[in-house]
Every structure is written in C-alpha cells, then in structure tokens.
C-alpha cells in the first residue's frame, strides 16, 4: 500500500470540535463506501482515507478493519443488504 500522507480533515459543523469521534466514524464509513462505489485510487476516496486516518485513533481503525474482515463490523458495510430478504427466485 502506498505511503499515507496525513492531513487534517476540514471543519464540519455537524461535529463539535471537542469530540471528533463522530467525524472519525463518518469519514471511516464514507471512505469504505467510496471504495465500494469507485476504487481506493479515486482521488476523493484517497482524501476520505487520509481524513479517517487523521481523525481516528489507530487502535479503532485496526479493530474496525479486523471486524470487517471477520464480518462482525457493526457499522454500515457497502454492498451488504442487512435485514433485507433476497428477492424470490423464479
């Protein structure tokens, strides 16, 4: 994987500056959605990845990545149809 240049994410008025946990979670999930929709090489996906790595403690990122690999991540998973039944087969 290419070297990651960390940058501070832009100010987001939806998230108070004293606690960035919500922003961390939002950027992390947005990064994975972007990868699903486009690719990890898409410039906006790279930016979201940088922001997630800059906002989130490494321990959280490592835990969430392990949970994604194990299928136990509690957050949104791009492409997953949680709670939806498959369409009937014809």
């Amino acid at each position: 994987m290419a070297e990651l240049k960390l940058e501070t994410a832009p100010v987001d008025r939806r998230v108070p500056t004293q606690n960035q946990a919500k922003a961390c979670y939002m950027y992390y999930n947005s990064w994975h959605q972007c990868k699903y929709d486009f690719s990890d090489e898409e410039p906006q996906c790279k930016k979201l990845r940088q922001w997630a790595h800059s906002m989130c403690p490494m321990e959280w990122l490592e835990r969430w990545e392990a949970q994604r690999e194990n299928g136990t991540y509690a957050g949104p998973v791009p492409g997953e149809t949680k709670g939806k039944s498959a369409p009937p087969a014809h």
Side-chain angles (χ1 to χ4, degrees):
M1 189 176 280
E3 183 64 30
L4 179 64
K5 179 186 169 216
L6 295 181
E7 295 180 5
T8 302
V11 173
D12 188 332
R13 292 186 178 162
R14 298 172 292 176
V15 183
T17 56
Q18 63 270 28
N19 183 347
Q20 294 297 317
K22 184 176 180 182
C24 158
Y25 185 73
M26 179 183 67
Y27 286 129
Y28 177 79
N29 289 310
S30 295
W31 164 44
H32 279 279
Q33 184 65 51
C34 188
K35 287 191 329 182
Y36 178 78
D37 292 341
F38 303 103
S39 81
D40 210 14
E41 297 305 313
E42 175 70 25
Q44 183 60 29
C45 299
K46 287 181 177 183
K47 180 91 35 203
L48 288 166
R49 179 176 182 252
Q50 289 174 337
W51 293 346
H53 279 79
S54 125
M55 303 291 284
C56 301
M58 190 54 67
E59 180 182 321
W60 291 8
L61 294 171
E62 290 170 352
R63 183 175 356 153
W64 290 341
E65 289 299 316
Q67 289 172 346
R68 282 183 180 281
E69 288 175 16
N70 295 329
T72 59
Y73 181 66
V77 177
E80 182 180 71
T81 55
K82 223 180 228 182
K84 296 180 184 174
S85 58
H90 294 280

